[in-house]
Amino acid sequence: MNDISPASRPLLEVRNLSKNFGPVEALKDLTMAVRAGEVVALAGDNGAGKTTLIKAISGVYQPSSGEILLKGKPVHFGSPQEARDQGIETIYQDLALADNLSIGANIFLGREPMRRAFGILPVLDRARMAEAAKKTMALLDFHVSRLDAPVSNFSGGQRQAVAIGRAVFWNAQILIMDEPTAALGVPEQRKVIALIHQLKAQGRGVIFISHNLQDIFAVADRIVVLRRGVQAGERRIVDTSHDEVVKLMVGG
Amino acid sequence: MQRIADLRAWLFLAFLILGFEIWSRLSFGGTFLFNPFNIQSIAIFAVAPLLLATGQTFVIISGGIDLSMGFIMGLASVVAAHVINWATPGMGFGLAVLFGGLVATLIATLPGAVNGFLVAFLKVPPFIGTLGMFGVARGVAFLLAGGTTVPVKNEVFAAVGNGKLFGVPYIIMVTAVFVVVMHYLLGQTKFGQHNYAIGANIQAARRAGINIKWHLLRLYILSGMCAGLAGVLYSARFSAGAAQAGEPLLLDSVAAVVIGGASLFGGSGTIFGTVAGAFVIAVIQYGLVFINVEPFWQFISVGVVIIISVLIDQAQRRFAGGRQSE
């Protein structure tokens, strides 16, 4: 837990970021940082600005003012695709998987590898997709036996692992996870928490949005609390408690 | 699960043929299946619905439907007839056929492109957009035909439509090659893979960086092209262009896709299954005539088969759904 040492340059820095929707200030002057191998939890009530913040980081929204720095360099994302190309991947609540396709096909969706059958005919390289799926999922400590099965055959936690696996395969350095445990049963939640620990051990940065303080305290290194678009506080998990976080969230 | 759905259609086809075989042996001591004439007739019967159904398979997997295919086929049929008649004096028989066939197939991609534009760019639901095009293509086809059929005076065209090589009609060969190409396109290319993804979860496909609009545009152009080829082969077979050529075939094409194991909600289906579906319909239609049942029973039987297919499919999905949440 040496994550706030000034020596380690943050992977991602957000400086004085604001976002207005007309007269509504959804986010005001927000500053935060994520270091390699660090899990930062974003907490706050509904409408506190968590979603606006991650959408600004992942290129969905253009910030009204302020800047985003990736490994010390200012970046500007015109689209989520540009953010993804630079290694910022968002895992959405609804997982964004094509249920009828295999793990490999989901990992490669939109950038499928091809090979030449009989030396001329271009065909999908399913063997390569399956191989990559196997390796990537093993990296997340998730061993699948049926690589050709559609992902609809897997459980919620396993599907979450597939979505994370896709990000890992494409070498995402920063993973933004929006309520990754919300729709899952307790054993599955534990599995996802274990996955996040894996990502951390691999030196990736994770931004983790959750309503569940128990999950936050189980996995995060730091917590950033938002209230009505402004930062209400930032604490190291080891230095804080449930009570304090709740107080920061509701104000008072 | 998809494989089970495919096999189901083939299994059903096998039972159907077996049924007709038994019936024909019992009632007049002849064979149904082992009569080459029957096989060939069924195959010729299946050509046009199968061509429409291959395009329809792509559209239905993407979560859409193309209701305009029948009249795009009619339009292509009339255009082929006119263009070949016009070109024959100048180009000679063979070249005129090639030219007319190409022009008609290309013309058929125009309404397809409009369908694609409506669905992809103007966000018109496929059912409504292609229903509108159903009317437009129908009107244009009848206008071009002058309200009647357009006879073609070109013996090469008639030979293409009715000739054989080693006992196999040309139009069956053309259709077989086309179906194989479509199978490759759906199962082995990015286009096919993206089609499945869009049908299952359009959000996911968009987030994965797939250009949805461009895909849908090409998709409906492809289905227009399938209808165009069907129209050209129809004109070749009858040496005439007819605006109503594909009128009864649209529903058959949807039926073939559904019997073949695709879901109308999108995301599943294969060309392999659709081929079985198209043959199920062709065998029912031909078989009922063969055993001397009044032709109106065809409609009833095909209708019942469609409903049964959907029921079995739903039951299977429910079963698979139960497994998923374990």
Side-chain angles (χ1 to χ4, degrees), chain B residues 250-270:
Chain B
L250 171 72
L251 284 180
D252 284 354
S253 78
V254 177
V257 177
V258 171
I259 294 170
S263 159
L264 282 173
F265 297 107
S268 70
T270 61

Side-chain angles (χ1 to χ4, degrees), chain A residues 43-226:
Chain A
D45 207 351
N46 291 335
K50 300 176 306 237
T51 307
T52 309
L53 176 60
I54 61 163
K55 285 194 169 168
I57 296 173
S58 62
V60 178
Y61 294 151
Q62 321 305 317
S64 307
S65 67
E67 55 180 355
I68 298 170
L69 290 88
L70 197 61
K71 293 175 187 160
K73 274 186 231 145
V75 284
H76 179 83
F77 303 130
S79 71
Q81 192 62 47
E82 287 177 31
R84 201 173 297 142
D85 291 343
Q86 305 239 22
I88 299 180
E89 188 92 33
T90 312
I91 314 283
Y92 288 94
Q93 250 165 352
D94 56 6
L95 297 179
L97 297 178
D99 273 349
N100 54 353
L101 301 180
S102 67
I103 296 178
N106 266 289
I107 288 178
F108 285 95
L109 189 58
R111 9 185 192 191
E112 291 82 1
M114 304 297 285
R115 67 182 174 86
R116 302 225 164 234
F118 318 114
I120 40 160
L121 194 66
V123 295
L124 293 172
D125 194 345
R126 292 185 199 279
R128 205 175 127 205
M129 291 196 258
E131 187 57 35
K134 197 171 160 189
K135 273 192 188 147
T136 310
M137 298 319 282
L139 210 61
L140 296 173
D141 212 18
F142 168 33
H143 300 276
V144 239
S145 47
R146 295 167 54 220
L147 285 164
D148 59 338
V151 294
S152 61
N153 282 17
F154 299 114
S155 71
Q158 289 171 324
R159 287 147 51 81
Q160 191 86 50
V162 174
I164 294 170
R166 175 166 62 188
V168 168
F169 180 84
W170 294 104
N171 209 16
Q173 292 306 303
I174 305 219
L175 285 96
I176 302 172
M177 304 172 77
D178 189 358
E179 297 277 3
T181 56
L184 304 177
V186 173
E188 295 282 312
Q189 287 180 0
R190 289 210 189 104
K191 178 84 195 161
V192 171
I193 297 298
L195 279 173
I196 295 176
H197 277 296
Q198 293 271 351
L199 296 173
K200 185 173 148 69
Q202 291 162 14
R204 300 174 211 273
V206 177
I207 298 176
F208 172 67
I209 294 186
S210 182
H211 274 103
N212 185 337
L213 286 183
Q214 218 155 349
D215 284 352
I216 290 179
F217 277 79
V219 74
D221 299 306
R222 267 188 307 129
I223 179 164
V224 173
V225 181
L226 298 181

